[in-house]
Amino acid sequence: MGSIIYAVFVSLLCVSTTTQAQYVNTTILESAVAEGAVCLDGSAPAFNFYQGTGARVRRWLLHLEGGGWCDTTSNCLTRAGQVYGSSKQIPPQAYFTGILSNDPELNPDFYDWNKVKIRYCDGASYTGDVEEVDPSTNLHYRGARIFKAIVQHLLAKGMYKAENAILSGTSAGGLAAILNCDKFNNLLPLSVRVRCISDSGFFVNVETISGYPHIQELFYRVVKLHGSAKNLPQACAFDYDKSLCFFPQYVAPYMQTPLFIINSAYDSWQVNYSFVPKYVDPLGVWNNCKHHISQCTPSQLQILDDYRLKFLKALQGLGPSSSRGYFIISCHTHNIVERQSYWMYKNSPTLDNKKIAKAVGDWYFERSGFQKIACPYPCGCSILFD
């Protein structure tokens, strides 16, 4: 039995790394430097662009890369010397698969669109904008300028002729897709059908298992350090403390642009770093469970089920909306739409007889709406997705 499972796992892995995927060259947008749109270290921002083909050349999908946040000067200094803080560290090519794939069988609705992966190098989900640069650190908090500069560059390169456009993102980029969704819509002509997709970006405001507001304080520090408040949706900021408007659950009800949320109700990043961060478990009692949910004790699984209910309460707190879609799985995972094994493949998670790619495509083109939540773990997830 073990050998069969391993063989299937290898098969899935091969699909994720070889099947109809492509390496797309990295573009460094040097012209953005003059606008102050730079990475943490002051280097120019970057993106990867795959040009659409055929009848769909007026369809554009922009995908925001994720990679966490930096909430202190020290953390940002470390980040500035790494791939998520400097375009000097970004590889010369990016690997496109999942929602970025050019394979019509594995990405039927978006395979031949113009697709852009915007590289993440600012540390605040593309929201920061501080004019002053401390000469002792040379740190630049300019994520909002990066987003605007790249979108305006793409408009000049042909996106102004778009008929359809999507802003998507994963993790911190999935959060950014929510925070920048209406802004993206406003930068495009009124005639364009604009939609946004957030993958693994619905970070919820929950306390740790010890009752500490860990992620709320983290987001507060990020917003303060990066000067993000002025770039968060102002309708939300009118009703809440501005740092709370870094959370999707407070922002999304004010959005004007249709949004599709793809997330796990047992999101592995949120469980590991927000709900059970290392400092609340100094003896490592949760280590096995946090890495493999199948190894949780019954009492630990019950705690994670309680977390799931908090996640769903935040999601349902957005209120009813016929234009909003969501696909909530119960796999213990994070980062979904760029992984072919999750986006669309024979063993991909399925809800209402649809895989994620099909559900998103039907929602975008208004063939049908989609708002489905998987039953509790292990519902819909095999050992391959643990």
Side-chain angles (χ1 to χ4, degrees), residues 36-87:
V38 292
C39 301
L40 282 170
D41 70 337
S43 59
F47 62 89
N48 304 85
F49 172 53
Y50 169 82
Q51 187 168 355
T53 59
R56 300 186 181 184
V57 293
R58 293 191 175 184
R59 298 182 178 185
W60 289 74
L61 190 156
L62 277 59
H63 187 75
L64 300 171
E65 184 179 33
W69 311 272
C70 60
D71 61 325
T72 67
T73 301
S74 176
N75 288 345
C76 290
L77 273 173
T78 299
R79 191 181 182 99
Q82 301 173 349
V83 68
Y84 292 128
S86 171
S87 63

Side-chain angles (χ1 to χ4, degrees), residues 88 165 238 325:
K88 297 176 183 177
F238 183 80

Side-chain angles (χ1 to χ4, degrees), residues 5-247:
I5 293 175
Y6 177 77
V8 175
F9 173 78
V10 171
S11 175
L12 281 174
L13 183 63
C14 291
V15 167
S16 297
T17 57
T18 60
T19 303
Q20 286 297 321
Q22 70 224 111
Y23 288 93
V24 179
N25 291 336
T26 299
T27 297
I28 307 296
L29 189 60
E30 297 289 356
S31 62
V33 175
E35 305 170 39
V38 292
C39 301
L40 282 170
D41 70 337
S43 59
F47 62 89
N48 304 85
F49 172 53
Y50 169 82
Q51 187 168 355
T53 59
R56 300 186 181 184
V57 293
R58 293 191 175 184
R59 298 182 178 185
W60 289 74
L61 190 156
L62 277 59
H63 187 75
L64 300 171
E65 184 179 33
W69 311 272
C70 60
D71 61 325
T72 67
T73 301
S74 176
N75 288 345
C76 290
L77 273 173
T78 299
R79 191 181 182 99
Q82 301 173 349
V83 68
Y84 292 128
S86 171
S87 63
K88 297 176 183 177
Q89 307 299 325
I90 293 175
Q93 292 181 318
Y95 184 75
F96 276 22
T97 188
I99 195 172
L100 298 174
S101 171
N102 71 334
D103 186 333
E105 293 186 4
L106 300 178
N107 191 26
D109 283 305
F110 310 117
Y111 72 96
D112 55 356
W113 286 36
N114 295 291
K115 294 185 286 288
V116 182
K117 183 172 185 176
I118 300 178
R119 308 310 293 266
Y120 185 37
C121 67
D122 71 275
S125 289
Y126 309 85
T127 62
D129 191 359
V130 177
E131 182 64 35
E132 299 79 14
V133 178
D134 185 343
S136 66
T137 64
N138 193 42
L139 286 172
H140 298 69
Y141 303 110
R142 305 280 182 77
R145 296 192 195 186
I146 289 174
F147 177 78
K148 184 177 181 180
I150 291 179
V151 171
Q152 289 182 332
H153 173 78
L154 295 172
L155 284 167
K157 293 296 183 180
M159 194 168 65
Y160 75 95
K161 296 181 180 178
E163 296 174 350
N164 298 274
I166 291 174
L167 178 67
S168 68
T170 289
S171 190
L175 170 59
I178 294 174
L179 298 178
N180 289 286
C181 182
D182 286 344
K183 187 181 301 182
F184 176 67
N185 197 349
N186 291 335
L187 288 170
L188 289 163
L190 292 174
S191 59
V192 185
R193 176 194 286 171
V194 181
R195 304 287 187 268
C196 297
I197 301 170
S198 174
D199 163 34
S200 304
F202 198 81
F203 297 93
V204 292
N205 187 12
V206 298
E207 295 179 339
T208 68
I209 56 173
S210 63
Y212 187 74
H214 175 77
I215 193 168
Q216 182 176 327
E217 293 200 355
L218 169 65
F219 281 2
Y220 174 83
R221 293 191 299 269
V222 171
V223 170
K224 183 177 180 180
L225 179 65
H226 291 260
S228 299
K230 60 188 174 184
N231 290 309
L232 299 177
Q234 293 305 299
C236 171
F238 183 80
D239 291 335
Y240 295 97
D241 178 272
K242 290 184 177 180
S243 65
L244 288 179
C245 294
F246 209 68
F247 283 99

